[in-house]
Amino acid sequence: MDIQHPFAAIVDYGLGNLHSVQQACTYVGLTSVITNSKQVLLGADAVILPGVGAYGDAMQELHRLDLAEVLLDLARSEKPLVGICLGLQLLMTESYEFGHHRGLGIIEGPVVRFDMPKEDGKILKIPHVNWNSILHTPHNACWDKTLLSRVKSGTFMYFVHSYTVQPRDAKIILSTTEYGDAQFCSSIGYENIFACQFHPERSGPEGIKIYHNLKKLIQEQGCRNHEER
C-alpha cells in the first residue's frame, strides 16, 4: 500500500467511530488510513486506537486479527500511540465489564464501572453521556508538551462511557473529570502514549486541537529522524 508520509493509521478491529476519527485527521491535513494490516500499522508515523463497544469483544477481535502484539510493539517504540474512549481502556491491565477480561497491559491498572455517582442526593444516569470539563491534575499542571497543548484546564469535551480507568501510577494522569461526586481519569500521558476517555473528534474546535498537535508531533519526529540519518 503506497501512502503519503506522514500518515496516521487508525486501527480497524470492527468497533469504533473510525470514520469520525479519519474526518478529524483530514480536517487538520493529516493523511490517515483505516486498517487492520500489521505491516501498515508498523509502518505508520502514528497509530490511533479508537473504540466504542464491549471490552471483551474488542480484546477478542484484537487477538483474532493478531493485532495485540503489534500494539505492544508500538507501545515500546517512539511512535505516537493514541487511544480514544474504549481505546484508552484497552491499554489497561484488565476490565470488569461483563465479567473479567485481560487487557493489553500497556498501562497498569483496572477498568471499573462508575460506582453510582450522585448529585444532590440523586443517582446519576449511566452511561455518562455528556459534555464535561477536563481539569489539570496537580502534578500535570502544564500540558504544553502533550497532545493537550493549547487546551485549557476546564475545557469541555464530549464523553460516552460507563466505565473508567484507574492507572496505578497517578503521575501519568493528565486530566480528571467530575461526574456528580465521582472523579475519574479522563486522559493519560506516558512516554509515547496519549489516551483519553472523551472523544476529541466529537468535541468541536478544542478537541480538534489534539489532532493538530498529533500532526505537529509526527512532523517534528520526521524532521528529527531525517536529521539523524
Side-chain angles (χ1 to χ4, degrees):
M1 182 181 294
D2 185 17
I3 307 171
Q4 178 182 353
H5 282 270
F7 80 95
I10 302 166
V11 184
D12 181 7
Y13 58 101
L15 295 168
N17 52 334
L18 307 180
H19 293 287
S20 295
V21 173
Q22 187 170 51
Q23 287 172 0
C25 291
T26 301
Y27 183 83
V28 303
L30 175 60
T31 300
S32 63
V33 59
I34 296 171
T35 183
N36 59 19
S37 163
K38 292 184 285 186
Q39 290 76 18
V40 175
L41 290 170
L42 291 171
D45 300 287
V47 172
I48 303 173
L49 178 64
V52 175
Y55 194 101
D57 291 344
M59 285 304 305
Q60 182 177 355
E61 285 303 296
L62 288 177
H63 284 297
R64 185 183 70 82
L65 294 167
D66 200 22
L67 297 181
E69 281 298 322
V70 173
L71 291 168
L72 291 171
D73 288 341
L74 290 165
R76 291 187 285 261
S77 74
E78 296 182 354
K79 293 181 181 181
L81 175 60
V82 179
I84 299 173
C85 195
L86 179 59
L88 160 63
Q89 296 179 5
L90 295 172
L91 300 178
M92 306 302 291
T93 308
E94 59 190 343
S95 172
Y96 292 92
E97 181 182 7
F98 305 119
H100 179 242
H101 307 279
R102 301 300 299 179
L104 292 169
I106 294 168
I107 303 295
E108 290 191 14
V111 181
V112 300
R113 186 174 174 83
F114 273 112
D115 186 15
M116 292 190 296
K118 300 181 182 67
E119 187 172 56
D120 297 328
K122 296 181 180 179
I123 298 175
L124 297 176
K125 292 182 179 179
I126 300 298
H128 171 221
V129 182
N130 205 352
W131 287 82
N132 212 333
S133 59
I134 61 172
L135 305 168
H136 284 144
T137 54
H139 48 268
N140 274 306
C142 180
W143 293 339
D144 285 351
K145 295 183 179 180
T146 77
L147 292 191
L148 290 175
S149 176
R150 299 182 300 114
V151 177
K152 294 181 179 179
S153 182
T155 294
F156 279 74
M157 298 291 186
Y158 186 71
F159 291 84
V160 183
H161 63 121
S162 300
Y163 286 74
T164 64
V165 300
Q166 295 182 340
R168 300 206 194 284
D169 183 1
K171 294 185 180 67
I172 73 171
I173 300 174
L174 295 179
S175 69
T176 60
T177 296
E178 296 177 355
Y179 185 42
D181 61 1
Q183 184 182 67
F184 64 91
C185 168
S186 50
S187 67
I188 64 167
Y190 175 68
E191 296 183 350
N192 59 315
I193 298 168
F194 171 83
C196 53
Q197 187 61 68
F198 54 88
H199 290 272
E201 70 283 350
R202 298 176 64 184
S203 298
E206 291 301 310
I208 288 297
K209 287 180 181 178
I210 292 172
Y211 288 91
H212 276 291
N213 291 336
L214 176 61
K215 177 187 176 184
K216 181 180 178 182
L217 175 61
I218 63 179
Q219 286 176 331
E220 290 173 349
Q221 287 189 344
C223 289
R224 285 197 299 270
N225 292 338
H226 179 75
E227 290 171 358
E228 291 170 0
R229 292 191 185 111

